[in-house]
Amino acid sequence: MKRTKSHYIWLPLVIALSVIVGIVIGNFYAFYGKPSGGQWDNKLATIFGYIGETYVDSIDTEQLMEESIPLIIDQLDPHSAYIPAEDLEAVNEDLEGHFSGIGVQFSILHDTVTVISVVAGGPSAAAGILNGDRIVMVNDSLFVGKSINNERVLKQLRGPKGSVIKLGIRRANKPKLLTMSVKRDDISVNTVDAFFEVEKGIGYVKINKFGATTYNEFITALSEFKQKQVKTLMVDLRQNAGGYMQAAQAMLNEFFANKQLIVYTEGRMFPRMDYYSNGSGTFQQEQVVVLVDEGSASASEIFAGAMQDTDRGLVVGRRTFGKGLVQQQFELNDGSALRLTVARYYTPSGRCIQKEYTMGEQENYRKDLLNRFLGGEMDNQDSVKHNSKVPTFKTVAGRTIHGNDGIMPDVFVPRDTVGLNSYYIQVVGDRHAYEYAMEYIDRNRQKLNGFKTWQAMVAHLQQQSLVDGLADYAYTKGIRKRPYLINESRKHIEKYLIGDILRPFFGESAYFQFVLQYDPTYQKALSLIKAGKASPQAVARQAYK
């Protein structure tokens, strides 16, 4: 038989893949029992024997393992994943709600780490680091340049609690480099970005993910709203990709009477499990509006789906992502982990909102949102194309809803595209607007520090020529001035600039209170609430346009 060059290239990988399959299966069944028969053991033993005794070259099995496992997992559904040991801690920290670090939010501007905000009472605040400082040295080594990225910065700034990191700080208007030693400590990660009373009796809460601390943060918000006699709540889950299903369940419990089915899960090896409310909820009678978009997934869809199926709340925005698969994490002996899809979840009406996928064909799945965008779905409700095989279901009140394709909101709100022209995309998309906002803060920090309220700062900034200043700045970066396009997008650009200048001084709550004034989905929800169309009785009658 003629052996081609590609045959020799692929042979080691094929052998390695066989080995890795065995290793993964072996780890899994070490915990959960082996299948009947000894074919797996015999086959793997034979393969290991051949490799160890006869293979022509020495093989770095560990390296092949790390490179090959993702290829194997890619042959499953789109949400099963292998997490290497070096990444597992960071992945878990993202949902656990805390990590050990120096307590700053940062961005990389001009190949330099720029401190956007300092956690109040945290290690960096104690050391004297300020918003706008540039970190240019770490432990006496230069820390700037093209090689700097978010992953590398996180690995440097995070570390064991109590450990000390030495930072070289470049501060605006200070000619000399400042040296500061920061003792790392536990830093809380908020999953509730902001909550506040919009108007008398109307509350708003923005949740960025469902983590271990989300429910407690949410209860804090509800408690404050109760004290203010809030009767209607907007829960903003836009761009919330999910997280822990248990967090969504606990939140939903606050809105339902006793023994209401919230969600259920079922899989080949996992019998059906129903999750019911227990009647202890503190927000059972108040109106609820849920804001969603194409970035709302998984636990966000559990929340929105339960509200919609039971006619408990009004869902406003755009069709959600469509992730109805449940993953369980299996930690392996080397510190890595396998997140394996073990079940599907179903909303109270019995629908699974998982969109269509083909095993092993990840690329088309990843392009789904792009295809929706190109098809006009995010701009026009009539462009939403449901698969012909998608089943329909009924809410408690008899409204028709779709399954297997994400959650279609009760009230559709298209993207706000007015003024989003090519100039806006250039200056905002390429981060020139953000860079200009940071430089504006550097030049005007003393003045900006003097404002006592975010409203006063906004009023001041609206009197400044921010957009024209950005146009001058962008021109120095090679973006020519285009007066018609600048004026067309002026409102959007100004909003972007003011928001980025405001945020480091007054935090997330002030930022959202400002930008939501320009948000059509938020404004639509507010108008529906004021018209009395968000009560359970009103939602049950019809879907509002």
Side-chain angles (χ1 to χ4, degrees), residues 147-398:
S147 64
I148 300 298
N149 55 43
N150 285 344
E151 181 180 1
R152 189 177 170 201
V153 175
L154 288 174
K155 286 183 177 180
Q156 285 283 351
L157 300 186
R158 294 183 180 183
K161 180 179 179 179
S163 60
V164 176
I165 183 172
K166 184 179 178 182
L167 302 177
I169 302 294
R170 179 71 66 190
R171 181 171 294 169
N173 303 320
K174 295 288 184 182
K176 293 184 178 180
L177 190 71
L178 305 176
T179 301
M180 298 182 182
S181 293
V182 183
K183 187 177 182 180
R184 298 183 179 96
D185 202 349
D186 287 335
I187 306 298
S188 297
V189 180
N190 292 330
T191 59
V192 173
D193 283 333
F195 65 90
F196 50 86
E197 189 175 25
V198 176
E199 296 180 11
K200 183 63 178 176
I202 303 173
Y204 170 90
V205 57
K206 171 68 174 176
I207 303 170
N208 63 59
K209 67 173 71 72
F210 289 87
T213 63
T214 303
Y215 177 65
N216 289 337
E217 294 176 55
F218 185 65
I219 285 297
T220 299
L222 289 189
S223 297
E224 184 169 312
F225 288 146
K226 278 291 184 181
Q227 292 176 9
K228 295 181 178 180
Q229 297 185 325
V230 164
K231 298 299 182 183
T232 300
L233 183 63
M234 277 193 272
V235 181
D236 194 342
L237 302 180
R238 289 176 293 175
Q239 296 301 306
N240 181 325
Y244 292 147
M245 186 173 70
Q246 293 85 349
Q249 293 166 14
M251 283 176 52
L252 283 166
N253 188 66
E254 296 299 315
F255 298 96
F256 289 101
N258 193 28
K259 296 183 179 180
Q260 169 67 56
L261 179 63
I262 292 174
V263 65
Y264 68 90
T265 59
E266 191 171 15
R268 182 177 65 88
M269 299 296 291
F270 287 76
R272 173 168 169 163
M273 293 187 63
D274 294 347
Y275 299 88
Y276 289 89
S277 57
N278 62 18
S280 65
T282 59
F283 225 79
Q284 294 183 31
Q285 303 301 320
E286 289 80 357
Q287 299 183 84
V288 184
V289 178
V290 185
L291 309 186
V292 297
D293 65 8
E294 57 281 350
S296 306
S298 191
S300 291
E301 294 170 300
I302 290 175
F303 190 95
M307 288 289 181
Q308 188 176 64
D309 285 17
T310 59
D311 304 294
R312 175 64 184 86
L314 191 66
V315 181
V316 179
R318 295 189 291 276
R319 181 160 67 107
T320 61
F321 182 86
K323 179 184 181 293
L325 303 177
V326 181
Q327 286 72 49
Q328 183 169 339
Q329 184 164 301
F330 303 98
E331 296 193 2
L332 307 178
N333 293 335
D334 67 346
S336 59
L338 180 67
R339 283 190 178 172
L340 194 65
T341 296
V342 297
R344 290 177 172 83
Y345 71 76
Y346 298 83
T347 61
S349 67
R351 57 176 172 160
C352 178
I353 52 78
Q354 176 62 46
K355 61 187 174 184
E356 185 178 8
Y357 66 89
T358 301
M359 294 277 283
E361 294 185 10
Q362 312 288 9
E363 192 61 29
N364 288 336
Y365 189 83
R366 295 184 181 113
K367 289 181 178 179
D368 177 62
L369 291 186
L370 175 61
N371 292 335
R372 289 196 210 176
F373 173 78
L374 295 175
E377 173 180 322
M378 297 167 193
D379 303 320
N380 190 333
Q381 183 174 1
D382 293 336
S383 297
V384 177
K385 305 298 181 185
H386 290 290
N387 189 306
S388 59
K389 299 179 182 179
V390 168
T392 58
F393 298 82
K394 296 291 185 180
T395 70
V396 170

